[in-house]
Amino acid sequence: MMRSRRVFFTIILMCAGALMLFAGIVSGEPSSVMRKAVYICLECIGIG
Amino acid sequence: MARRLVQLLTALIYNINIKGFFAGGIYKGRLKSVCVPGLNCYSCPGAVGSCPVGALQSSVGAVRNGISFYVIGFLILTGSIFGRFICGWACPFGFLQELLHKIPSPKLRKKRAFGVLKYIKYVVLAVFVLLLPAYFFIRDGVTVPAFCKYICPAGTLEAGVPLVLLNESLYQSIGRLFSWKLLVLAAAIVLSVFIYRPFCRFVCPLGAVYALFNRVSVFGIKSEEDKCTLCGACARACKSDIDPSVNPNSGECIRCGDCVRVCPTGAIRLGAMYFNKPGDSPKRRDAR
């Protein structure tokens, strides 16, 4: 892959990632992440 | 030395809720809605952010569209900027494995089996992080974080052990699953003494995600063929068993910079927007 094409691909990926992140924030997904993370995850610690 | 400092600072920043280690509870503030780039259990008493792998598993079925744009977008953005630079510089569990590897002992390097074992992490990503949580959600309506539950030794070390020691009720609840997870943790610790970062190289699903971006990430390694004398110093120095003069942006490269440090001619550099494709050095191709 040519260098310029790689740079282009990287920029596309960064833009896609940023857009998805933004879409997730707008749709309130951070609160879903937080709801899970503020309680001790019994499965994660090997109890649940 | 700079990398060690960054690794230490990152581990501290991820787990800055020090009082949690004394109180036996976890941080419940708003920062928990933010993912950290490295593998760091959000049930660790010190954790102030969320583990992206844990968040990805728990998001299966928990968000409106079935997948989390927020977590996947975070991983794509972080991966396309840093790639596995995160593994080498900003992962507390990777840092621990590196420290363990400093214990004097015979070291296992460049084994043929390692070339096959490195693919296990992609299977773990697909099966334990994506498919099993989805399967349990479809079957029972409840998401099960299969990787965290059955494998993740970082969660056992950072969250399981301290919380069980600090909480009598949790201590009373431990059973076979906890024993299994302790066994996985013990295996990771013992193997780290003999093999460089075995969990990161062979099992970690977050490493697998970032490895997919390593060839196109903004931060990368450049090997300049006109300066390279094919002395092989970089390949000998690489603990991840890569030949940086041939494949500088291999998915296994964690950007530790060991190859940069030992190169006698300064042919290898670590920086932004450097891209090489594997084997694009004619000199090296001819030499093989």
Side-chain angles (χ1 to χ4, degrees):
Chain A
M1 206 188 302
M2 303 236 327
R3 181 194 159 110
S4 57
R5 224 194 268 177
R6 278 178 183 243
V7 173
F8 177 73
F9 193 53
T10 304
I11 292 168
I12 292 290
L13 276 173
M14 285 169 64
C15 291
L19 275 174
M20 286 181 78
L21 187 66
F22 180 72
I25 292 170
V26 169
S27 62
E29 288 178 18
S31 59
S32 301
V33 171
M34 188 170 151
R35 264 199 304 278
K36 177 72 180 174
V38 294
Y39 297 104
I40 293 174
C41 170
L42 293 177
E43 290 111 330
C44 305
I45 65 172
I47 289 178
Chain B
M1 190 62 199
R3 190 166 74 93
R4 289 276 175 271
L5 195 62
V6 173
Q7 286 177 305
L8 182 63
L9 280 174
T10 312
L12 283 173
I13 292 167
Y14 288 178
N15 298 291
I16 200 69
N17 182 44
I18 305 294
K19 66 180 180 189
F21 288 105
F22 298 98
I26 64 170
Y27 171 76
K28 294 176 183 290
R30 291 194 64 82
L31 275 175
K32 271 281 174 78
S33 61
V34 178
C35 291
V36 296
L39 194 77
N40 195 77
C41 185
Y42 47 41
S43 289
C44 171
V48 291
S50 286
C51 173
V53 175
L56 187 60
Q57 289 169 97
S58 61
S59 72
V60 176
V63 294
R64 208 178 307 158
N65 302 311
I67 60 158
S68 172
F69 286 118
Y70 177 62
V71 181
I72 294 174
F74 172 82
L75 288 172
I76 292 175
L77 186 60
T78 312
S80 57
I81 296 174
F82 297 105
R84 292 199 78 178
F85 186 85
I86 298 294
C87 305
W89 292 70
C91 181
F93 197 65
F95 180 39
L96 173 76
Q97 289 171 84
E98 284 190 23
L99 295 179
L100 289 165
H101 196 65
K102 288 197 170 295
I103 296 172
S105 70
K107 306 298 180 193
L108 297 173
R109 284 192 57 190
K110 297 194 188 298
K111 298 290 177 192
R112 191 171 291 176
F114 293 175
V116 178
L117 291 175
K118 70 182 180 187
Y119 294 109
I120 292 175
K121 60 180 175 288
Y122 300 102
V123 177
V124 170
L125 171 66
V127 175
F128 285 86
V129 177
L130 300 172
L131 295 177
L132 279 176
Y135 168 74
F136 284 117
F137 179 75
I138 291 165
R139 196 188 69 174
D140 307 328
V142 180
T143 303
V144 173
F147 170 73
C148 299
K149 185 172 181 176
Y150 300 111
I151 299 177
C152 187
T156 312
L157 180 70
E158 295 165 0
V161 172
L163 286 174
V164 160
L165 291 176
L166 291 165
N167 290 282
E168 182 61 28
S169 59
L170 290 177
Y171 182 77
Q172 297 297 333
S173 309
I174 61 176
R176 278 187 190 166
L177 182 61
F178 192 77
S179 304
W180 162 252
K181 290 207 69 182
L182 277 182
L183 195 67
V184 174
L185 173 62
I189 287 173
V190 172
L191 287 173
S192 296
V193 177
F194 305 102
I195 303 171
Y196 184 66
R197 298 178 68 137
F199 176 76
C200 310
R201 291 166 67 188
F202 308 138
V203 185
C204 182
L206 192 56
V209 171
Y210 290 144
L212 296 174
F213 292 94
N214 238 19
R215 293 192 194 284
V216 292
S217 62
V218 173
F219 280 90
I221 284 184
K222 182 177 173 65
S223 168
E224 294 181 48
E225 60 186 60
D226 51 333
K227 288 185 183 173
C228 180
T229 59
L230 305 175
C231 67
C234 53
R236 287 193 296 275
C238 180
K239 297 191 193 77
S240 298
D241 298 336
I242 303 159
D243 186 345
S245 65
V246 177
N247 197 1
N249 289 312
S250 155
E252 300 308 302
C253 174
I254 58 166
R255 320 298 198 207
C256 68
D258 284 351
C259 55
V260 178
R261 208 173 48 249
V262 300
C263 181
T265 59
I268 302 175
R269 286 190 289 164
L270 176 64
M273 285 294 182
Y274 290 137
F275 301 107
N276 279 48
K277 67 179 180 183
D280 67 352
S281 163
K283 276 196 288 187
R284 177 62 76 176
R285 267 204 309 271
D286 295 343
R288 278 185 295 181

